Amino acid sequence: MANNEELFKKIISHAKEYGFVFPSSEIYDGLSAVYDYGQYGVELKNNIRSYWWKWMVQYNENIVGIDSAIFMHPTIWKASGHVDAFNDPMIDNKDSKKRYRADVLVEDHIAKIEDKIEKEVTKASQRFGETFDEKLYRETNPRVSEYQNKIDDIKSRFYTMLDKGEFDGIKTLIEELGIVCPVSGSKNWTEVRQFNLMFSTQMGSVSEDSNTLYLRPETAQGIFVNFLNVMKSGRMKVPFGIAQAGKAFRNEIVARQFIFRMREFEQMEMQFFVRPGEELKWYEYWKEHRMKWHLSLGIAPSKYRFHVHEKLAHYANAASDIEFDFPIGFKELEGIHSRTDFDLNAHQQFSGKKLQYFDPETNESYVPYVVETSIGLDRMFLAILSNSYKEEKLEDGSIREVLNIPPILAPVKIAVLPLIKKDGLPEKARQIFDMLKYDYMCQFDEKDAIGRRYRRQDAIGTPFCITVDNETLNENTVTVRFRDTMLQDRIVIENLPLFFREKFAINIG
Ligand code: ATP
């Protein structure tokens, strides 16, 4: 589902109407690219974080977690390269006054040419039918080759200029390619400039020696600087990992697209320390393992794809993104990076402390290499929300709004609903609610007709509704309604805990 703006708007308004995500400081007209999570949003977010933590920390004997502070010694950001290199090249359109990342404009242009190639290939495959040799066609068709040469030429010129900081050349390239502003449609561009994305603040009173601190732009550095502490106190043996989930801050210049790109967001990162030379093996392992985590949630595999980086960051020797099919198109959801020994080496140099591991198998000390997995919690939230939002037309012509959230992540797991508000049904329903609430987030609702109550639960993604009716009192059974099919089963009350244990079991594949 590419570029579905209408759907995206609906999801944003649904998220607000049902207490998932609110614009921050809304009564003061909001704060750009900052959001608050409401009563259901926080449950969904907690559930995603906990599902990640279980897979990464609880299920892996050689991975432990930490929670490091947001404030860190300012030299850390010198060592990591963020003070000098954490910049995006920006360009403004003079007519619309909109600001864009120059690299995104060029990459979008490349993606359009790639689309043209795909169209040619699809057309040809339809024309030739079963005899079609796609590989050969891509290599030999003159039009495809022409497009491909164009792409290669743009990439090689663009990335060279980016590396050398040749911003005039980037502006010329944007003009030469005829890239227009998506809002104004004009080619009236400013110069390309760079902005550092880190927020800074002061520690200590102004009159004393105050220090400039940065709000961390990633959680990873908190892991690197605790490498020795964790290794020693946890008696960790390479290969081992350290995981962390926490807030990160980036002064994003182009901050649109709801919670996709925020100025304050949360990351879930894991740094895996390995023997030098074994990093690419572990890089492949973590690519596969992270994709397995995503697919374990039952979302269609066609919604995910890998994007292998051609231009690598200064610290990496291999990198891929897991992209997700958001309503705004396929975009990065998670990064898997082979970061070499760049970070530990840099911290060793800047701090003067040895950051090495003594390997008892080889009798050698070395700076371990690192493979990291880094996913944005808010982006994962958006992936789940946008994938689960459905408007279904029912037989009676009415529209049902439903969130097919994977049950393990649903904010409310079970709603307990007395059919009517008398004859002892609410009391019986309360007993069932009290029986289940210690294990599951449950909701008790006795207001309005049963149909409306089901709709309210559908709209927040509750996978199961238990209805208590007159038969419950006589036969000790309830109906359990399934959110996705709207079918109902009659179940003996004593069997409910076992029934739900199976329904909410984690699928470790
Ligand atoms: P992008 O290219 O989209 O700016 P990035 O490559 O800078 O992302 P990383 O530095 O690799 O991102 O961060 C790891 C993950 O953190 C990303 O895959 C994304 O899920 C999340 N993330 C990064 N920046 C933001 C942001 N501004 N808002 C929300 N999530 C973010």
Side-chain angles (χ1 to χ4, degrees):
M1 197 179 301
N3 240 330
N4 201 331
E5 228 174 273
E6 222 24 63
L7 174 70
F8 199 35
K9 278 193 197 143
K10 275 191 183 162
I11 291 165
I12 296 169
S13 77
H14 190 88
K16 184 170 171 217
E17 190 182 341
Y18 286 93
F20 282 83
V21 183
F22 307 126
S24 158
S25 323
E26 200 188 4
I27 58 169
Y28 290 95
D29 295 333
L31 186 63
S32 152
V34 185
Y35 289 89
D36 296 337
Y37 286 86
Q39 64 276 27
Y40 296 123
V42 70
E43 295 295 337
L44 175 55
K45 204 174 162 200
N46 286 344
N47 292 342
I48 297 173
R49 195 191 299 103
S50 138
Y51 190 67
W52 179 85
W53 194 266
K54 282 199 172 124
W55 270 70
M56 302 303 279
V57 179
Q58 190 177 324
Y59 302 166
N60 287 296
E61 276 174 58
N62 57 347
I63 300 181
V64 292
I66 62 163
D67 182 21
S68 71
I70 287 170
F71 288 141
M72 294 199 270
H73 195 286
T75 310
I76 288 174
W77 305 111
K78 245 343 233 178
S80 68
H82 284 82
V83 172
D84 298 322
F86 193 49
N87 297 306
D88 280 340
M90 309 301 304
I91 189 164
D92 293 19
N93 183 268
K94 289 183 190 162
D95 298 317
S96 67
K97 309 269 183 271
K98 295 274 177 208
R99 182 164 291 168
Y100 300 92
R101 263 169 58 179
D103 54 329
V104 171
L105 286 181
V106 175
E107 276 160 11
D108 283 351
H109 183 82
I110 292 172
K112 279 187 194 142
I113 308 178
E114 281 168 346
D115 275 352
K116 286 185 187 162
I117 296 183
E118 292 318 308
K119 275 201 190 115
E120 291 291 333
V121 173
T122 313
K123 260 197 315 201
S125 107
Q126 283 162 353
R127 196 158 6 104
F128 293 112
E130 279 185 4
T131 58
F132 183 56
D133 181 341
E134 186 179 324
K135 190 161 172 284
L136 187 72
Y137 182 80
R138 282 181 191 273
E139 283 164 5
T140 53
N141 179 275
R143 202 169 302 157
V144 170
S145 303
E146 191 189 316
Y147 287 141
Q148 194 54 52
N149 291 341
K150 213 185 250 174
I151 292 174
D152 295 343
D153 175 56
I154 298 173
K155 278 186 179 169
S156 99
R157 286 169 62 197
F158 180 62
Y159 292 135
T160 315
M161 290 192 287
L162 209 52
D163 279 340
K164 294 189 181 155
E166 289 172 0
F167 296 136
D168 291 351
I170 294 179
K171 184 189 177 193
T172 313
L173 179 69
I174 288 174
E175 285 167 344
E176 207 181 282
L177 295 175
I179 295 176
V180 298
C181 164
V183 176
S184 68
S186 91
K187 296 179 203 160
N188 196 3
W189 298 108
T190 63
E191 301 303 312
V192 175
R193 285 167 298 165
Q194 279 200 306
F195 292 84
N196 193 288
L197 297 185
M198 282 197 291
F199 284 100
S200 62
T201 185
Q202 305 298 124
M203 183 181 251
S205 75
V206 182
S207 53
E208 292 165 19
D209 287 334
S210 68
N211 246 328
T212 298
L213 294 190
Y214 297 105
L215 298 189
R216 65 178 180 200
E218 62 175 27
T219 57
Q221 298 304 324
I223 291 179
F224 290 124
V225 298
N226 278 296
F227 162 74
L228 266 194
N229 283 336
V230 174
M231 184 180 76
K232 286 188 180 161
S233 59
R235 295 185 298 128
M236 309 304 289
K237 301 257 171 298
V238 163
F240 74 91
I242 306 178
Q244 154 154 257
K247 286 270 168 120
F249 304 83
R250 293 183 189 178
N251 196 3
E252 299 280 6
I253 307 299
V254 184
R256 286 186 292 262
Q257 304 170 326
F258 192 39
I259 56 173
F260 181 81
R261 191 175 298 288
M262 304 156 91
R263 297 204 163 100
E264 172 178 343
F265 58 102
E266 199 163 330
Q267 286 185 315
M268 304 190 287
E269 297 198 294
M270 193 277 299
Q271 264 66 38
F272 200 68
F273 300 91
V274 306
R275 243 183 225 169
E278 293 189 356
E279 70 277 9
L280 293 180
K281 178 184 89 183
W282 285 108
Y283 165 71
E284 291 304 328
Y285 172 88
W286 281 109
K287 270 175 72 179
E288 194 184 316
H289 194 76
R290 290 305 302 147
M291 188 56 105
K292 206 166 146 193
W293 180 83
H294 287 283
L295 296 179
S296 73
L297 289 167
I299 295 172
S302 60
K303 291 271 176 171
Y304 293 92
R305 72 180 187 200
F306 278 111
H307 164 77
V308 179
H309 285 213
E310 285 175 39
K311 179 183 181 323
L312 294 170
H314 58 284
Y315 52 75
N317 70 356
S320 303
D321 296 334
I322 293 179
E323 293 186 336
F324 186 79
D325 190 3
F326 291 99
I328 44 176
F330 266 102
K331 299 257 184 248
E332 170 177 345
L333 169 58
E334 170 157 12
I336 295 124
H337 312 127
S338 174
R339 285 179 85 124
T340 68
D341 57 354
F342 173 84
D343 304 85
L344 287 181
N345 255 335
H347 289 306
Q348 201 167 241
Q349 209 182 332
F350 278 79
S351 70
K353 305 276 177 341
K354 238 181 167 184
L355 299 179
Q356 299 195 350
Y357 172 73
F358 175 74
D359 196 325
E361 281 178 34
T362 59
N363 263 335
E364 272 178 334
S365 286
Y366 52 78
V367 177
Y369 271 47
V370 171
V371 175
E372 83 172 353
T373 71
S374 174
I375 175 168
L377 176 49
D378 313 85
R379 268 192 207 175
M380 185 62 195
F381 184 109
L382 182 60
I384 296 292
L385 192 69
S386 58
N387 187 66
S388 60
Y389 179 81
K390 309 267 159 21
E391 276 183 334
E392 288 175 4
K393 194 157 187 192
L394 301 181
E395 274 174 16
D396 66 2
S398 65
I399 299 286
R400 168 171 101 121
E401 274 189 313
V402 58
L403 295 180
N404 300 124
I405 299 175
I408 190 85
L409 301 182
V412 175
K413 299 277 187 268
I414 303 160
V416 185
L417 317 170
L419 187 62
I420 46 171
K421 231 170 150 176
K422 54 181 188 187
D423 300 340
L425 298 189
E427 291 75 10
K428 188 71 190 167
R430 280 258 167 230
Q431 283 173 11
I432 296 172
F433 176 78
D434 286 339
M435 172 175 91
L436 295 170
K437 74 178 181 189
Y438 298 103
D439 293 316
Y440 303 102
M441 182 58 74
C442 295
Q443 205 167 68
F444 183 88
D445 189 3
E446 57 182 9
K447 227 168 146 239
D448 298 326
I450 192 73
R452 285 184 67 179
R453 281 181 274 165
Y454 285 152
R455 285 304 141 73
R456 277 203 289 267
Q457 296 300 331
D458 288 342
I460 61 167
T462 308
F464 302 102
C465 289
I466 295 177
T467 311
V468 172
D469 54 22
N470 282 316
E471 246 181 279
T472 308
L473 301 181
N474 303 330
E475 317 214 334
N476 223 27
T477 57
V478 289
T479 62
V480 174
R481 172 187 181 269
F482 296 72
R483 174 196 66 197
D484 299 346
T485 57
M486 293 189 284
L487 297 175
Q488 306 198 358
D489 256 2
R490 206 134 193 121
I491 293 188
V492 177
I493 292 175
E494 280 68 43
N495 293 342
L496 287 173
L498 186 64
F499 174 84
F500 287 122
R501 198 173 327 142
E502 282 171 7
K503 294 289 176 213
F504 292 112
I506 288 184
N507 160 27
I508 49 171

